[in-house]
Amino acid sequence: MPLAESTRQRVVVLGGGISGLTAARELATKGHAVTVLESGDRWGGLGTWFDWNGHSLDQFYHCQMPSDDDLLQLIRDIGLGDSLYWKPTRMGFVVGGKRYAFNGPMDLLRFDPLTFPERIRFGVVSLLLRRLGFGRDLDRTRIEDWLVSCYGRPVWEKILRPLFTSKFGPAAGDMPALYIWERLGREKNTVSRGYLRGGLRTFLDTLVENLRSLGVDLRLETRAGTIRETGDGVEIDAGSALIEADWCVSTLPLPVLRNCLGDTPLAQRIRTPDVPYQGVVNAMFFLRRPLDNYYWAPVVDSGTEFDGIVEMTELVETSHYGGHHVAYVMKYCDRSSPLFLEDPGQIAARWTQQLLALYPDLNLQASDIADVRVFKAPFVEPAYPLGYSELKPLIHDGESRLFLATSAQVYPKITAWNSSVRLAKEVARRLLDHMETVPRTKRTARLPATVQV
Ligand SMILES: Cc1cc2nc3c(=O)[nH]c(=O)nc-3n(C[C@H](O)[C@H](O)[C@H](O)COP(=O)(O)OP(=O)(O)OC[C@H]3O[C@@H](n4cnc5c(N)ncnc54)[C@H](O)[C@@H]3O)c2cc1C
């Protein structure tokens, strides 16, 4: 129901990924005047899409898990519940150039990178791992210390260290074990994964249409600059426009937010810990034939720069990709690393050779690869320090006009759409509650939110 002008407040949301769009929806549903600023030329952030020969395809592989309650609710709320389907998927493992199935006890018994006793220990400990962590202060226990104590040093060195390092970089062993413990249970090797017919574009188009119907002012190619408090509101420097609002919700990665806060008084009050982020380089291969039909296979010590393969057509029909099979391969790395800065064409050429070399038995040839697209993202996985539960940014400092909903706050939950949707809803709820406690000003009633400069 529309709010009276005197009650309606103006909120500017920074970032048009899933966090920003969800927060905007929650606030607009309650009748507030919401503006979303997104620096890119399309919505979705890390979950966005691109055009390929007339098909709208996901830039980065995305699937849904059965435990994604908040995301699944959002999907239903915007009317896409019937477009979601589920399919059992399998996992592989590539070690030393050899490819293994990795889906159950029989596969584990055949997994010869580990000795027989190590395989038995691996299986038993994996079944009990969640219970083994119970009651321990895992937020202050290093992943390496915990997993070595559970699995033994050889399993850590041969399998687990390469796996974690591939995602979080060289400091992976120093991260809090709580992050892994929380992850247990979301993912199993053989699991039903979900996908929305039409992919991320269908989801985003529907969500954005829903936001428009709620009156949200959606601005692409609008980069937020300095954020300033003005006493009874906030001002955002957005290039050719100065955006005034009563409240701001930032979903920007912490380093970007720190830049926006600069040396303003707000910067002193908002907790933005200096957490290193891993970025990602991701190559999407369009193939004329399938690979192993494992949705996901980590790649360890196999002469490749990429350290994982996601065969998306294990989950999605090839018709979605113009009849092609699709495999994404990825390397998580720092945004200042030589790989991240390298020309995409060179990466595509080198990774093509590396992919071909992994499948000699399938006689995979260059002619089996119809196309390769390389995408990069600078801020994906925060590499959390020990004790991060007490260091992580607060949703709100209790006083300012700025609320935070960034992926670096979802800890100990994993960085995923579901975590972002849950956080964004919580942030919107906290902001709505807080609005009630703050006396209204004349300025609050003035709409719309923009002053041209
Ligand atoms: C390779 C890969 C695979 C993944 N697979 C899955 C999966 O299978 N399932 C799953 O649930 N999740 C997956 N994720 C994680 C998921 O994509 C993220 O957790 C989620 O998208 C984070 O959303 P966000 O809105 O918090 O951040 P982002 O998506 O990063 O959104 C932030 C937005 O802010 C914008 N922005 C930045 N600076 C400014 C500025 N100054 N002004 C205005 N806007 C700005 C950015 O352009 C971006 O759109 C994957 C991610 C990657 C990279």
Side-chain angles (χ1 to χ4, degrees), residues 370-436:
D371 199 2
V372 191
R373 292 296 164 97
V374 173
F375 299 101
K376 304 175 185 176
F379 301 106
V380 181
E381 289 283 350
Y384 303 110
L386 286 185
Y388 189 69
S389 291
E390 284 171 22
L391 303 173
K392 71 178 181 180
L394 300 174
I395 288 177
H396 187 225
D397 66 335
E399 287 180 13
S400 73
R401 297 268 163 178
L402 178 61
F403 282 67
L404 303 191
T406 86
S407 56
Q409 288 164 278
V410 302
Y411 174 92
K413 301 287 177 213
I414 66 161
T415 37
W417 270 30
N418 188 62
S419 312
S420 294
V421 169
R422 180 181 309 175
L423 174 68
K425 285 184 170 180
E426 167 70 8
V427 170
R429 193 185 58 72
R430 292 271 297 274
L431 172 51
L432 291 164
D433 287 350
H434 187 72
M435 283 174 183
E436 297 298 319

Side-chain angles (χ1 to χ4, degrees), residues 212-322:
R212 282 206 180 96
S213 72
L214 292 167
V216 176
D217 176 6
L218 291 150
R219 304 190 192 185
L220 287 171
E221 300 185 79
T222 309
R223 181 176 298 278
T226 305
I227 305 169
R228 267 184 230 92
E229 274 198 312
T230 55
D232 57 358
V234 280
E235 276 177 4
I236 317 293
D237 204 338
S240 60
L242 187 68
I243 315 285
E244 285 185 347
D246 301 301
W247 307 98
C248 176
V249 175
S250 169
T251 72
L252 308 179
L254 292 180
V256 180
L257 174 63
R258 266 199 301 278
N259 274 343
C260 293
L261 294 176
D263 55 5
T264 62
L266 205 46
Q268 310 303 319
R269 301 223 305 274
I270 304 298
R271 190 197 283 178
T272 56
D274 192 5
V275 184
Y277 278 75
Q278 287 281 84
V280 75
V281 176
N282 167 107
M284 186 175 178
F285 285 87
F286 295 80
L287 303 161
R288 298 199 168 88
R289 51 187 293 189
L291 298 177
D292 279 335
N293 298 116
Y294 298 134
Y295 177 79
W296 180 51
V299 181
V300 167
D301 293 337
S302 297
T304 61
E305 285 163 282
F306 53 83
D307 35 41
I309 303 174
V310 170
E311 200 168 344
M312 204 64 202
T313 30
E314 168 75 351
L315 176 61
V316 184
E317 293 292 324
T318 50
S319 55
H320 183 64
Y321 306 101

Side-chain angles (χ1 to χ4, degrees), residues 13-21 37-40 42-47 59-65 68 71 167 186 222-225 251-253 256 260 280 282 295 330 332 377 379-381 405-407 414-420:
V13 176
L14 309 183
I18 188 69
S19 300
L21 297 177
L37 310 184
E38 164 56 45
S39 58
R42 60 196 62 192
W43 302 105
L46 296 175
Q59 273 190 2
F60 301 109
Y61 52 94
H62 273 71
C63 69
Q64 280 80 60
M65 307 301 275
D68 288 350
L71 175 60
K167 188 117 190 196
R186 182 177 189 266
T222 309
R223 181 176 298 278
T251 72
L252 308 179
V256 180
C260 293
V280 75
N282 167 107
Y295 177 79
M330 79 302 292
Y332 287 84
F379 301 106
V380 181
E381 289 283 350
T406 86
S407 56
I414 66 161
T415 37
W417 270 30
N418 188 62
S419 312
S420 294

Side-chain angles (χ1 to χ4, degrees), residues 10-33:
R10 301 163 305 169
V11 186
V12 59
V13 176
L14 309 183
I18 188 69
S19 300
L21 297 177
T22 305
R25 184 170 187 276
E26 293 295 304
L27 295 162
T29 306
K30 298 289 184 226
H32 295 289

